[in-house]
Amino acid sequence: MQAPSESKQTEPPGLGYRAAFTVTLRTAASVLSLTRTAIGKKELAEPGGACPDRLAPHEHYDRLGAQPGSPLLVAGVRNVLSNLRCVAFSHEMSTRHIESHRRIAAVTEEHGYPGRPYHAIICKGGEISIEEFMPDGSLFEVQERLDSVDWMVSGTPVWWDCNEHELFDRMITDAADHSHVWQLPRGNHVDATDLTRKQWTQLQDEFIDTLADDRNTAAERLRVLVDGFDLKRENDYLHSVWGVTDDRRLIIIVANGRLEDVGRQAAALGCRRAICVENSGSSALYFVRAPERRPWFPLVSAPNFRPAGTAFIFFGLSDGAFHVMPQPSA
């Protein structure tokens, strides 16, 4: 397995499109919209994205009981209710739907008693932070300590206050789609082969089998399997990475690159921690000055952009705008 410190090694060319878009913002208010609190992966696999739980961002907005004032920055967090180890909570949804009261939203195949904490962006009283979050008891039980939380979204850690090797272990034990970490095309990808599909499935099986294990145990089992496959790291996938600075600014970076390298871009802008919440065609941002005007158009998107999704966050902009940042060198 390629060690984390070998990040500058040249890899084969990537997917043929580039993105480098970074914004920083302070919010007046923010709301997370979820389609529901639990969903099975099979329900999300319907052909053509016909699953009724995938909605366009303006459809999510129309469902909100408390809509932040415009203008808005709208950002997808569509690994939620799609990938294992990506969970969420919405006070808005919990208040409006009794059956979801203080319940964490998750893919139903996620383990009821996770063996390690999640890496989560948490909004509490309008203040945003990135923390570890471990459910009280079962993942699917009522979480009373969420009473003071506006919303929470977990993702894959790509920058953390730890060394490289610990970061790598945190990352591979949370990244449910192994094509985001290693060059391992699957499904209908043009570069997918029977071998890469088989290896992806074997890694997914091992990932699922270790959901209730501690981080060290799970990482070791994944490392052993990957060493046998002799995989190279993926350096050119598109990721949406979020970080928070010490003065509570939210940094959102949509860029191609190795996960840790996009994390370093967040670090260069003052973030001590950063997580990845979307990838590839799910990655998008919208600036919406007048929500009633439809359709909404994304600021940045991939050629395989998918406008509908299971989860979006709506940020009311306290100063009426967001700020585009120059891309720092990784």
Side-chain angles (χ1 to χ4, degrees):
M1 176 186 294
Q2 189 171 332
S5 59
E6 298 174 355
S7 60
K8 295 183 180 180
Q9 185 172 341
T10 301
E11 299 286 352
L15 302 177
Y17 58 85
R18 310 297 305 168
F21 200 91
T22 302
V23 302
T24 176
L25 66 149
R26 297 182 186 276
T27 66
S30 57
V31 179
L32 167 64
S33 172
L34 298 166
T35 51
R36 56 168 134 163
T37 56
I39 193 168
K41 288 185 75 68
K42 289 183 179 179
E43 297 174 83
L44 286 166
E46 295 185 13
C51 174
D53 291 277
R54 290 192 182 102
L55 301 174
H58 69 269
E59 294 175 305
H60 278 269
Y61 180 80
D62 290 342
R63 296 168 74 242
L64 294 177
Q67 296 171 331
S70 58
L72 302 168
L73 190 75
V74 182
V77 283
R78 286 180 281 178
N79 285 345
V80 172
L81 290 174
S82 180
N83 287 357
L84 295 169
R85 293 289 299 172
C86 288
V87 300
F89 169 79
S90 168
H91 180 77
E92 153 79 11
M93 186 173 183
S94 180
T95 301
R96 296 179 64 206
H97 303 277
I98 299 300
E99 69 277 7
S100 66
H101 185 54
R102 291 176 296 186
R103 289 284 300 275
I104 296 175
V107 177
T108 53
E109 288 83 350
E110 169 64 292
H111 197 280
Y113 292 89
R116 51 193 181 271
Y118 298 92
H119 301 85
I121 291 185
I122 298 176
C123 182
K124 184 184 296 186
E127 294 289 326
I128 299 175
S129 62
I130 299 185
E131 307 171 19
E132 288 190 342
F133 174 81
M134 191 69 177
D136 293 327
S138 168
L139 177 69
F140 304 113
E141 294 175 355
V142 169
Q143 305 288 318
E144 293 186 2
R145 63 195 174 109
L146 292 177
D147 280 347
S148 61
V149 171
D150 303 329
W151 53 264
M152 175 186 72
V153 170
S154 78
T156 300
V158 296
W159 190 254
W160 210 259
D161 41 1
C162 63
N163 63 45
E164 295 185 320
H165 293 278
E166 181 182 334
L167 174 63
F168 190 65
D169 284 355
R170 287 174 180 266
M171 185 175 65
I172 65 174
T173 54
D174 269 16
D177 188 339
H178 320 294
S179 298
H180 301 160
V181 182
W182 292 284
Q183 290 180 11
L184 202 57
R186 64 182 179 99
N188 296 322
H189 191 286
V190 65
D191 296 324
T193 66
D194 289 342
L195 176 60
T196 61
R197 293 186 188 97
K198 179 180 178 181
Q199 289 176 334
W200 191 94
T201 299
Q202 288 178 274
L203 267 173
Q204 179 75 173
D205 291 344
E206 192 78 350
F207 186 88
I208 292 172
D209 197 46
T210 59
L211 286 172
D213 291 339
D214 64 87
R215 184 181 301 120
N216 291 338
T217 300
E220 178 61 24
R221 287 180 57 178
L222 290 168
R223 284 177 179 274
V224 168
L225 191 57
V226 170
D227 283 343
F229 293 163
D230 192 27
L231 299 179
K232 295 180 179 180
R233 290 294 309 280
E234 174 54 60
N235 283 335
D236 210 21
Y237 221 92
L238 183 67
H239 307 289
S240 178
V241 166
W242 295 21
V244 179
T245 64
D246 287 344
D247 61 353
R248 302 299 185 182
R249 287 178 299 124
L250 177 64
I251 306 292
I252 299 177
I253 301 173
V254 181
N256 294 74
R258 182 172 295 202
L259 280 166
E260 304 98 306
D261 288 343
V262 183
R264 289 187 183 96
Q265 294 181 32
L269 293 171
C271 301
R272 296 186 183 184
R273 296 174 173 180
I275 65 173
C276 181
V277 298
E278 285 188 322
N279 309 87
S280 190
S282 293
S283 301
L285 293 169
Y286 297 78
F287 175 61
V288 182
R289 188 173 295 281
E292 67 278 5
R293 296 178 186 170
R294 311 289 169 83
W296 296 352
F297 296 101
L299 294 167
V300 58
S301 62
N304 61 336
F305 174 58
R306 298 180 290 273
T310 53
F312 286 87
I313 298 180
F314 298 83
F315 295 99
L317 301 176
S318 58
D319 57 0
F322 60 91
H323 304 284
V324 179
M325 303 290 291
Q327 282 292 106
S329 58

